[in-house]
Amino acid sequence: MPVALGLGLPQMKQYDIGRDVAAVARAAEETGYESLWVFERVLFPEPATQGLYGVPGLPWPDQYRSVADPLITLALAAGATGRARLGTSVLVAPLHVPFQLARSLASLDAASGGRVVAGLGTGWSLDEYAAASVAPFEKRGAVLDELLDVCAAVWGPDPVAYQGELTTVAPSEVGPKPVRPIPVYLPANSPRATRRLIDRADGWMPVAAGADRLAEQWKRVQDLAAERGRERPVGVCARANARYSAQPVGGADRAPFHGNTAQIVEDLVAHAATGVPEILLDLQGTTRDAAELIDVAAEVYVAARAAGV
């Protein structure tokens, strides 16, 4: 079967959020994209406590100076579409109060007719953790675990009741409920995170940073699932952070998904061969405006399907 293709929605500083999110979402769905995705950045520290992804000296991209709220962006997309799934890749879970986030995701799922996919992670920015003031960075794994518990409670039948370190819910009716159980996707960047994924989540959200690497990671996840006796399949949506160029990008060391349409499609073909069922293509960082994002996304989709993706 063809790989499902998703598209990242425009959230960065070069876009007009009120106008462009709906336009891109509608065009992507009409083109054939099966899913629409958002990511989360909440601030741009100057000077930053740490480099991008926690790598010393690695600068933050200029587009991160303004990134629209992910759930508001998805709400705008939900109102402009009727079929595409609406995913987060990812929400930095410990930046949110668990009960409030669970309710927001449930409301969005109810409003969109059951189209939400909750991709959750723990992030890396110390400055974002300090600004959110929910919990210290050192407790990020425990906060994610509590959030998963709270979501299961809030999305389940009433009365809802829960007692945790951050959250106390007295027996209550909590609505609206999701249309169906919201799929939860998690990363697997450590042995502990991979066990959490296998034991508690519906799917996995890796970064597509090379077909061989993705294939190795996917095999490890599948092997651990078998070892831990998981019976239901592990869903996958691999994030491809693209850097589009109108001209071909040369050199044997070209990074995956960096180049023109033909090169991006070449990388999609290679990554699809790993067997992952879905790839999210995020083009927004290097397209100049919504018109170019719509055009490039359509070119890539048509060429990818013609190439057998």
Side-chain angles (χ1 to χ4, degrees):
M1 293 183 62
V3 172
L5 292 177
L7 183 70
L9 290 168
Q11 296 173 261
M12 295 179 177
K13 61 178 294 186
Q14 70 266 43
Y15 301 104
D16 181 324
I17 302 304
R19 178 191 66 207
D20 293 345
V21 171
V24 171
R26 191 178 300 113
E29 186 176 74
E30 291 172 355
T31 295
Y33 282 95
E34 289 96 332
S35 54
L36 303 167
W37 298 83
V38 291
F39 76 108
E40 183 162 49
R41 287 270 72 82
V42 301
L43 47 72
F44 189 97
E46 291 188 300
T49 302
Q50 60 195 145
L52 185 69
Y53 310 131
V55 178
L58 186 63
W60 292 44
D62 190 60
Q63 295 95 329
Y64 283 5
R65 291 181 181 276
S66 177
V67 176
D69 179 271
L71 295 185
I72 290 176
T73 303
L74 281 187
L76 292 170
T81 58
R83 172 186 56 80
R85 285 172 290 111
L86 307 167
T88 61
S89 176
V90 295
L91 289 178
V92 183
L95 303 184
H96 300 265
V97 174
F99 181 75
Q100 292 177 349
L101 180 57
R103 288 198 66 247
S104 294
L105 289 167
S107 294
L108 181 59
D109 192 72
S112 65
R115 293 189 280 148
V116 171
V117 179
L120 307 172
T122 55
W124 49 268
S125 171
L126 301 177
D127 293 299
E128 290 184 334
Y129 270 76
S133 302
V134 174
F137 184 75
E138 294 74 19
K139 291 192 173 184
R140 60 195 181 278
V143 176
L144 177 55
D145 285 330
E146 180 160 324
L147 173 63
L148 295 174
D149 290 339
V150 171
C151 285
V154 169
W155 300 343
D158 292 324
V160 173
Y162 181 80
Q163 178 66 58
E165 184 176 350
L166 296 172
T167 311
T168 299
V169 183
S172 307
E173 292 188 17
V174 181
K177 299 295 185 184
V179 173
R180 86 294 189 231
I182 296 174
V184 172
Y185 279 44
L186 299 174
N189 299 324
S190 69
R192 181 176 180 180
T194 307
R195 290 192 297 272
R196 180 188 290 116
L197 159 68
I198 298 303
D199 295 345
R200 307 204 61 186
D202 300 285
W204 173 46
M205 297 213 77
V207 174
D212 290 343
R213 179 180 175 186
L214 181 61
E216 292 172 3
Q217 293 172 319
W218 182 212
K219 186 178 186 306
R220 285 199 297 270
V221 169
Q222 292 174 304
D223 288 346
L224 185 62
E227 177 185 318
R228 296 181 75 82
R230 179 174 171 131
E231 296 181 355
R232 58 194 176 109
V234 178
V236 186
C237 181
R239 164 177 273 276
N241 295 314
R243 292 186 60 82
Y244 169 75
S245 170
Q247 302 301 320
V249 174
D253 60 346
R254 179 180 68 87
F257 300 101
H258 289 201
N260 65 2
T261 297
Q263 290 173 314
I264 291 172
V265 169
E266 177 185 332
D267 293 330
L268 280 172
V269 170
H271 285 73
T274 65
V276 300
E278 184 167 16
I279 299 174
L280 148 64
L281 187 64
D282 199 339
L283 293 157
Q284 67 172 307
T286 47
T287 48
R288 293 166 296 182
D289 53 30
E292 185 176 40
L293 175 55
I294 289 169
D295 288 345
V296 173
E299 289 175 8
V300 170
Y301 184 90
V302 171
R305 292 310 189 205
V309 174

